[in-house]
Amino acid sequence: MRDGMLVDPHRNSASNIHQLQLRILGVHSQVRVLLITFCATTLLQAQWQANGVPVCDTSANTGYYMLPQIAPDGDGGAYVCWKDARNGNYDIYAQRIGHDGRMLWQKNGIPIVDDSSTQQFPRIISDARGSAFIAWEDNRSQTNTHIYAQRIEKNSQSLWQIGGVKVAETPGLFISLAEDGKGGLFVAWNSIFGFDPVTGIVDGVFIQRLNSLGQRIWPDSGVQVSNRPGRVWPNDIAVISDGLGGAIIAWSEGEFNQEKIYAQRIDSFGKPLWLVNGIEISQGLYNIDVGISSDLTGGAIISWTNLSANLKYAQRITSEGKKLWGTSGIVVGGIVSGGARRHTADNQGGAFIGHSKWIQHVNSAGVKRWEGEGAQYTDTTTGFFNSTQALGLNGGIWNFWSQNTSSGIVDIYGQYVDGSGNPQWGPSGKPICNTPAIQDWSRAVPDGRGRAIVVWDDFRNGHSNIFAVRVDTLGTVTSINDKADVLPDSPRLEQNYPNPFNPETIIEYKIPSRGTVQLIVYDTLGKEVITLVNERQEAGFYRTIWNGKNSRREKVSSGPYYYRLFFNNNVQATKKIILLR
């Protein structure tokens, strides 16, 4: 769905989709004032409440999908961005939600880019320092749509030039983002060059790397990953960091009903490392819906849907481009309905892969952790679509989706599946929002404290809105006074992120009361590498950064390490961490 219109990429040629998008771009308004950066402030707005708090609720937006995107802010809250037409044409706006449900920036959001041209379809991810990267499709050149990007801090300050930086000179649509592990950003996209009467539409897969200052590291045109004849299907591009300053990218390519899945690894200098035009991952034809996550050893787990067989597949590929799960990959499960790609890293080298009404947990060896099709998040047989996942603690995962109701509207529903694959909210899940209006296009992230934050398009109040809720593992829509905000009964150590990492990674922990805290990194022989924390601390949530150096400030070698949390001289937890240089 793009702009409130259902677009089936396999029922329209790429050129028709491009023309449709250009028509959607609409009429331009007069030139307006420059973007104003607002200081972060806690506004006296509603806290978390049933059926959601308004992220953007202005009657200036009417009758279209705002398509919100969300990323965690590292402090229990989230960043949200969306396309916004309050000024007469589409611009990109953003808001930061605090852990208590308050809007931390200006009411109804701040403009990320705000000019007389059209910007839309944003994507957002967090960086390792709690800021956020936002990229979008931008029509300011008037002749071609290009990709622009911005980096924004927690206080709403834009770190790159006003209006964003142009990612590359090559036109592009359909964006995928990944952090490069060094404070910068990978941007992958699909570039439509035009119509070839012999081969049909000729598309290209491109990728660019920006540094922390928003400067292009690779060529101005970006790096072309594939240039074979055929089409790259819209939204079927996915990218991750390889942990070494490079990236692994996967995509679906081929003529209608003949699509195949390909993958390529790009090194930190922008050089493709595998076969020209990528390694073929799938077998057979009509393969779409690409998902990707790191295997924590420099390779990737890739998932896709084969529509010819109505099956979901997955494959693990090493950093050298070797397939580990056989020639064809493994069958994750069947496809009947439910829509949307769902592929979420489990942070242990495996992945949660959604297919129809099920979620399957696949470990790093390609073994399915849950029986049969996996965990069934709903027993509904029809009318559920636009699913999205958010990683929980201790091997659990949330699934949220749009659900047609008997009254003829659409509501947001959710389910939490625990680490053993058991649904916790009943066979049908629970409504997250069921006001008498359409709610659709939910997106969710974990808050880092055992709950999930969900945003969606909402058409209550007679116009387009964005609303948000926070839910716990019991399906309770929480408020600032809920016990979910109370510290845990015992100290808790979280998995570091990113992992693998280079050059820095974040480690978070929580302590229930005042006490002496030590956080120490060890090598595989049990020798102490560095003490990151050694002090008395008050009860609370904490985070620290390890930069891959020892106590003598020397860089340590690549490989696995372990970090251990002590509280009042007692060992609380130990977790594995991987450094890749």
Side-chain angles (χ1 to χ4, degrees), residues 169-470:
E169 300 305 317
T170 302
L173 308 169
F174 306 110
I175 305 163
S176 180
L177 303 179
E179 201 213 348
D180 72 354
K182 297 179 179 292
L185 177 68
F186 293 116
V187 185
W189 68 93
N190 174 16
S191 180
I192 299 177
F193 292 114
F195 184 76
D196 184 317
V198 176
T199 62
I201 301 301
V202 179
D203 295 352
V205 178
F206 280 76
I207 186 170
Q208 178 63 275
R209 183 182 176 195
L210 303 176
N211 65 17
S212 61
L213 301 177
Q215 300 166 330
R216 299 171 185 168
I217 296 179
W218 294 344
D220 287 344
S221 59
V223 174
Q224 188 165 4
V225 178
S226 172
N227 62 359
R228 62 170 57 83
R231 65 186 66 172
V232 179
W233 291 107
N235 283 334
D236 261 352
I237 299 173
V239 63
I240 60 168
S241 169
D242 68 359
L244 296 171
I248 298 176
I249 183 170
W251 67 97
S252 173
E253 185 173 18
E255 295 305 318
F256 176 60
N257 279 342
Q258 301 180 46
E259 305 90 339
K260 298 180 179 180
I261 307 300
Y262 298 91
Q264 181 63 270
R265 182 180 171 201
I266 312 294
D267 70 14
S268 61
F269 300 100
K271 177 183 177 182
L273 297 177
W274 297 343
L275 296 176
V276 175
N277 291 326
I279 294 171
E280 184 177 338
I281 300 297
S282 61
Q283 296 292 309
L285 302 175
Y286 212 169
N287 297 286
I288 61 170
D289 291 341
V290 178
I292 191 169
S293 61
S294 172
D295 68 356
L296 302 186
T297 62
I301 294 176
I302 299 170
S303 67
W304 67 94
T305 300
N306 183 294
L307 289 181
S308 297
N310 285 325
L311 293 173
K312 194 78 173 183
Y313 283 84
Q315 178 66 268
R316 182 179 172 192
I317 190 166
T318 69
S319 59
E320 293 79 26
K322 179 182 177 181
K323 301 177 191 176
L324 295 181
W325 296 348
T327 303
S328 303
I330 62 171
V331 175
V332 176
I335 297 293
V336 291
S337 61
R341 83 176 49 84
R342 288 168 286 144
H343 183 125
T344 305
D346 68 358
N347 289 338
Q348 302 295 324
F352 294 95
I353 300 173
H355 60 107
S356 299
K357 65 175 72 174
W358 298 280
I359 303 171
Q360 184 57 266
H361 188 186
V362 179
N363 69 15
S364 60
V367 176
K368 293 187 282 188
R369 299 283 301 276
W370 298 336
E371 294 182 357
E373 298 281 356
Q376 182 173 308
Y377 64 84
T378 181
D379 60 2
T380 303
T381 57
T382 60
F384 62 104
F385 50 97
N386 279 345
S387 286
T388 186
Q389 295 177 168
L391 183 65
L393 300 176
N394 303 316
I397 191 163
W398 284 276
N399 195 95
F400 302 97
W401 68 94
S402 300
Q403 178 73 58
N404 287 330
T405 68
S406 58
S407 59
I409 61 174
V410 180
D411 290 334
I412 303 298
Y413 271 65
Q415 178 69 267
Y416 183 75
V417 177
D418 68 17
S420 298
N422 300 312
Q424 299 297 297
W425 299 354
S428 302
K430 291 184 177 181
I432 301 301
C433 180
N434 58 358
T435 61
I438 292 176
Q439 291 89 36
D440 195 2
W441 192 264
S442 61
R443 293 294 181 265
V445 291
D447 72 350
R449 302 179 181 182
R451 296 146 304 185
I453 299 175
V454 191
V455 298
W456 63 87
D457 267 303
D458 197 300
F459 292 90
R460 72 183 83 172
N461 303 329
H463 55 261
S464 304
N465 306 275
I466 297 172
F467 275 70
V469 297
R470 185 184 65 182

Side-chain angles (χ1 to χ4, degrees), residues 488-560:
D489 294 332
S490 60
R492 180 180 296 167
L493 180 64
E494 305 295 347
Q495 185 65 49
N496 68 297
Y497 64 94
N499 191 35
F501 77 97
N502 182 19
E504 294 181 344
T505 189
I506 294 173
I507 301 173
E508 297 181 332
Y509 60 94
K510 308 166 188 178
I511 58 174
S513 60
R514 178 177 172 80
T516 301
V517 176
Q518 290 179 307
L519 185 63
I520 302 175
V521 179
Y522 298 90
D523 64 19
T524 55
L525 299 177
K527 182 180 179 181
E528 182 177 324
V529 175
I530 189 172
T531 298
L532 298 174
V533 179
N534 185 14
E535 63 185 16
R536 288 188 65 79
Q537 294 180 332
E538 300 293 336
F541 302 86
Y542 293 88
R543 62 163 48 188
T544 188
I545 294 176
W546 184 38
N547 60 7
K549 296 181 180 180
N550 60 25
S551 57
R552 297 185 297 275
R553 299 185 179 179
E554 301 166 335
K555 289 185 178 180
V556 299
S557 59
S558 296

